[in-house]
């Protein structure tokens, strides 16, 4: 067994258990070294029972390393703790309490309590056994003299060395858990930012904030806003000839360009349905220029579509419908929250797109009245609109110069 193999954990371990695996393996290796030194020390002092006990302990800690590598952390820890309890008992009986060996039980109680594996009741019982052993050894030492008499100076040196090792182990334990806490906090921070980013992508920033603070139903009425519907012309026929990856790639390219345009003009993307794209201007934060912002966005979308037609080398066209008026907006559902719009203004905007022309922006009368002073239009005339009868519609051509 080489040194590198001591730290080859089972592949099924998660990060939390892997960190504990590494930490406790260092503990077993250090215990192996301490007991090896104790063999030489007690052989020199002539305490043969402790020599035999430490030889056995060396093999026990080798076994702990093997068991730990197999993922049985708590079993290995329990065996290691029982060994230290027996070691403390032997040292108390043969060389006395003042040697400092029983003080290792403090560190072991902490290790048992903090172990990530094992049931809480079992860990509590193990901690209780360690603490009870400490008290028993203490009172035993007050009533029985050590079996072997060793020079006081040697006992003092033992005590100091053992205290130094114990404080070193406590420092190592503190570093381990401080490092683990830093890693956990950093991971939580990353996950929080990730979830915040996902929430902002799903819901408007203002709505996401309200939902986190207040929860419940979110619904608002906006008297002045403009709705845009954009739909790919003849895309169903194109889609039938494409592989799924190519189809999604084209739509992603188009809609990503539209997303940039929407953000640039301060509008709110509501949703995509197949190859349709819905936008709102003037909500969830009201704005007086909602119609102008929608018009600029729609005009830029037409220009972007012409560029994409050249870039992708495909006969791609789009029709856009716009209408202005009051809407109700809110969040619905318990899962996969959706911020959506309702109202006659929304339905009419969808009709403007449905009855529109390829590469044209068709607007309803309400939007035309808001934009007539600053934009140029071509009057399309009265067209039959499902559910509305004949309505005047206009084709937006651009801003007046």
């Amino acid at each position: 067994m080489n040194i590198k193999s001591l730290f080859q954990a089972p592949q099924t371990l998660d990060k939390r258990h892997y960190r504990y695996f590494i930490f406790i393996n260092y503990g077993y290796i250090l215990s192996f070294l301490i007991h090896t030194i104790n063999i030489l020390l007690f052989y020199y002092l002539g305490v043969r029972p402790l020599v035999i006990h430490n030889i056995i302990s060396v093999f026990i800690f080798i076994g702990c390393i093997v068991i730990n590598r197999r993922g049985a952390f708590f079993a290995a820890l329990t065996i290691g703790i029982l060994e230290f309890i027996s070691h403390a008992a032997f040292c108390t009986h043969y060389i006395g309490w003042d040697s400092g060996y029983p003080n290792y039980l403090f560190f072991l109680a902490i290790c048992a309590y903090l172990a990530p594996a094992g049931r809480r009741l079992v860990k509590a019982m193990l901690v209780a056994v360690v603490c009870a052993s400490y008290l028993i050894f203490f009172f035993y030492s007050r009533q029985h003299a050590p079996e072997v008499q060793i020079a006081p100076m040697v006992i003092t040196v033992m005590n100091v060395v053992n205290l130094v090792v114990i404080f070193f182990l406590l420092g190592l334990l503190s570093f381990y858990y401080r490092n683990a806490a830093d890693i956990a906090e950093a991971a939580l921070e990353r996950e929080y930012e990730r979830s915040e980013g996902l929430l902002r992508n799903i819901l408007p920033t203002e709505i996401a904030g309200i939902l986190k603070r207040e929860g419940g139903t979110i619904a608002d009425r906006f008297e002045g806003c403009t709705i845009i519907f954009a739909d790919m012309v003849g895309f169903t026929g194109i889609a039938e000839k494409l592989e799924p990856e190519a189809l999604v790639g084209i739509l992603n390219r188009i809609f990503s360009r539209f997303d940039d345009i929407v953000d640039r003009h301060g509008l709110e993307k509501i949703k995509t349905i197949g190859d349709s794209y819905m936008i709102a201007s003037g909500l969830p934060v009201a704005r007086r220029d909602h119609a102008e912002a929608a018009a600029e966005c729609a005009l830029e979308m037409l220009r972007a579509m012409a560029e994409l037609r050249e870039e992708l080398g495909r006969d791609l066209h789009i029709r856009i419908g716009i209408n202005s008026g009051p809407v109700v907006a809110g969040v619905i559902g318990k899962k996969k929250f959706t911020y959506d719009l309702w109202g006659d203004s929304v339905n009419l905007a969808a009709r403007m797109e449905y009855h529109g022309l390829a590469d044209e922006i068709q607007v309803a009368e309400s939007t035309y009245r808001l934009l007539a002073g600053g934009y140029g239009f071509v009057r399309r005339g009265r067209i039959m609109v499902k559910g509305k009868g004949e309505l005047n519609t206009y084709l937006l051509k651009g801003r007046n110069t």
Side-chain angles (χ1 to χ4, degrees), residues 158-215:
M158 282 185 181
N159 192 20
V160 171
V161 170
N162 285 324
L163 285 176
V164 169
V165 173
I166 290 170
F167 279 111
F168 171 77
L169 291 172
L170 288 173
L172 187 63
L173 185 67
S174 300
F175 172 78
Y176 164 75
Y177 276 98
R178 178 66 264 176
N179 185 57
D182 290 341
I183 293 172
E185 289 174 1
L188 285 173
E189 187 67 25
R190 288 193 299 270
E191 286 302 311
Y192 175 78
E193 291 298 328
R194 181 171 175 270
S195 63
E196 285 290 296
L198 289 172
L199 190 60
R200 287 193 294 269
N201 284 335
I202 296 170
L203 301 175
T205 303
E206 295 79 5
I207 300 301
I210 295 173
L211 188 64
K212 289 192 297 181
R213 290 193 306 271
E214 303 174 8

Side-chain angles (χ1 to χ4, degrees), residues 134-177:
Y134 183 86
L135 293 175
I136 291 171
F137 301 154
F138 174 79
F139 288 111
Y140 177 86
S141 68
R142 292 296 179 268
Q143 297 176 7
H144 298 82
E147 188 77 16
V148 179
Q149 296 297 320
I150 298 176
M153 179 60 70
V154 175
I155 293 294
T156 301
V157 171
M158 282 185 181
N159 192 20
V160 171
V161 170
N162 285 324
L163 285 176
V164 169
V165 173
I166 290 170
F167 279 111
F168 171 77
L169 291 172
L170 288 173
L172 187 63
L173 185 67
S174 300
F175 172 78
Y176 164 75
Y177 276 98

Side-chain angles (χ1 to χ4, degrees), residues 33-48:
L33 295 175
I34 290 173
H35 285 75
T36 301
I37 295 171
N38 282 340
I39 293 172
L40 302 176
L41 173 64
F42 292 126
Y43 180 81
Y44 173 77
L45 294 175
V47 188
R48 298 301 173 84

Side-chain angles (χ1 to χ4, degrees), residues 256-269 277 279 287 289 293-294 296-297 299-304 307:
S256 294
R257 185 76 65 88
F258 288 176
D259 288 346
D260 293 338
I261 295 170
V262 169
D263 288 342
R264 192 156 47 245
H265 291 281
L267 275 59
E268 194 66 48
K269 174 185 175 181
Y277 194 95
I279 310 165
R287 56 188 295 177
D289 64 340
E296 293 296 331
C297 179
L299 289 167
E300 188 170 350
M301 289 170 70
L302 276 187
R303 293 192 294 270
E307 295 172 359

Side-chain angles (χ1 to χ4, degrees), residues 58 67 86 100 126 228 237 268 296 298 324 330 359 369:
V58 165
I67 295 171
S86 66
L126 191 57
I228 304 172
E268 194 66 48
E296 293 296 331
S324 301
D359 299 322
R369 291 176 181 173

Side-chain angles (χ1 to χ4, degrees), residues 15 23 75 111-112 124 154 188 221 277 296 326 332 361:
K15 290 183 178 179
F23 168 76
C111 287
V154 175
L188 285 173
R221 182 177 180 84
Y277 194 95
E296 293 296 331
I332 59 173
I361 303 170

Side-chain angles (χ1 to χ4, degrees), residues 228-236 255 258 275-279 298 301-302 305 309 316-322 349-363 380 395:
I228 304 172
F229 278 91
D231 189 65
M232 308 290 294
V233 178
F235 193 75
T236 302
F255 288 167
F258 288 176
D275 57 0
S276 298
Y277 194 95
M278 181 182 177
I279 310 165
M301 289 170 70
L302 276 187
M305 200 63 194
R309 192 159 49 242
L316 300 173
H317 299 274
I318 192 173
R319 59 174 180 258
I320 299 176
I322 302 179
R351 296 287 185 266
M352 289 296 100
E353 176 274 311
Y354 181 78
H355 295 288
L357 303 174
D359 299 322
E360 296 285 356
I361 303 170
Q362 181 166 254
V363 305
R380 190 181 178 193
L395 303 178

